Structure formats: C-alpha cells, structure tokens
Amino acid sequence: MEYVYAALILNETGEEINEDNVTGVLEAAGVDVEESRVKALVAALEDVDIEEAIETAAAAPAAGASAGGSADADASADEADDDDDDDDDEAEAADEADDDEEEGDGGEGLGELFG
C-alpha cells in the first residue's frame, strides 16, 4: 500500500511518477524498497489518469451510503406498519443506528494513517 501512497504523493506534488521518484519517497519514509514492486507500479500507472481514478473512487462510497440508507428506510416503513409499541421500536432502531455509527468511526480518512 505504501507504494501506491508514494505515487499519490508524487501526483499531488506535481512530480513525475517514475522509478527514481517513487523509490526516493519510499526511502524517505523508511520503507525497505523492493525494486520489482516499484517497476510494476510505475508500469501499471503509465496510462492511468490518477485524478480521474480518485474522483471515481470518491464517488463509490457515496453511492454505497445511499443504498444503505434506503434499506434503513424500508426497515422504518415496516416498523411503522406495526401498531404494537411503535414509539419503542423507533427509539430502539435509533439507538442501534447510533451504536453502528460509533463502531464505524474508528478511522477518519488519511489523517489516521499519519496520526
């Protein structure tokens, strides 16, 4: 993964993604560099538009979140159909949703990698 991060750093700083630059970033980070992996990465990224790949990757979680939201909406609609203790069921569902969010908050993006 650190090889990909090195390529992203080079892309962000406007540097060319080549074997020497990737190796330099990895060595500066204290990584024991495998030359074959560097060559494979540079070859794999040769025809890749990194900015487009980042935008596509950033859009994927948003689509997944909306799909998850509709499942929650369906569950809420089913609960509304039940006349037995609707208020208790909704409160319990809200508590469960809060618990799920707390469990998923362990990583806060790239900041957690360096913090």
Side-chain angles (χ1 to χ4, degrees), residues 48-71:
V48 175
D49 181 356
I50 294 176
E51 295 301 321
E52 182 181 330
I54 290 171
E55 288 175 16
T56 302
S66 66
S70 65

Side-chain angles (χ1 to χ4, degrees), residues 35-82:
E35 199 170 316
S36 61
R37 291 180 70 185
V38 172
K39 287 181 181 186
L41 175 71
V42 171
L45 293 176
E46 189 172 305
D47 296 325
V48 175
D49 181 356
I50 294 176
E51 295 301 321
E52 182 181 330
I54 290 171
E55 288 175 16
T56 302
S66 66
S70 65
D72 289 340
D74 290 342
S76 296
D78 289 342
E79 287 180 15
D81 290 339
D82 294 336

Side-chain angles (χ1 to χ4, degrees), residues 2-79:
E2 56 271 354
Y3 291 79
V4 174
Y5 291 142
L8 289 172
I9 289 169
L10 290 169
N11 180 69
E12 185 66 28
T13 60
E15 297 293 323
E16 181 182 352
I17 299 174
N18 58 35
E19 292 176 27
D20 290 335
N21 289 347
V22 171
T23 300
V25 170
L26 291 170
E27 287 176 348
V31 175
D32 185 25
V33 180
E34 294 179 31
E35 199 170 316
S36 61
R37 291 180 70 185
V38 172
K39 287 181 181 186
L41 175 71
V42 171
L45 293 176
E46 189 172 305
D47 296 325
V48 175
D49 181 356
I50 294 176
E51 295 301 321
E52 182 181 330
I54 290 171
E55 288 175 16
T56 302
S66 66
S70 65
D72 289 340
D74 290 342
S76 296
D78 289 342
E79 287 180 15

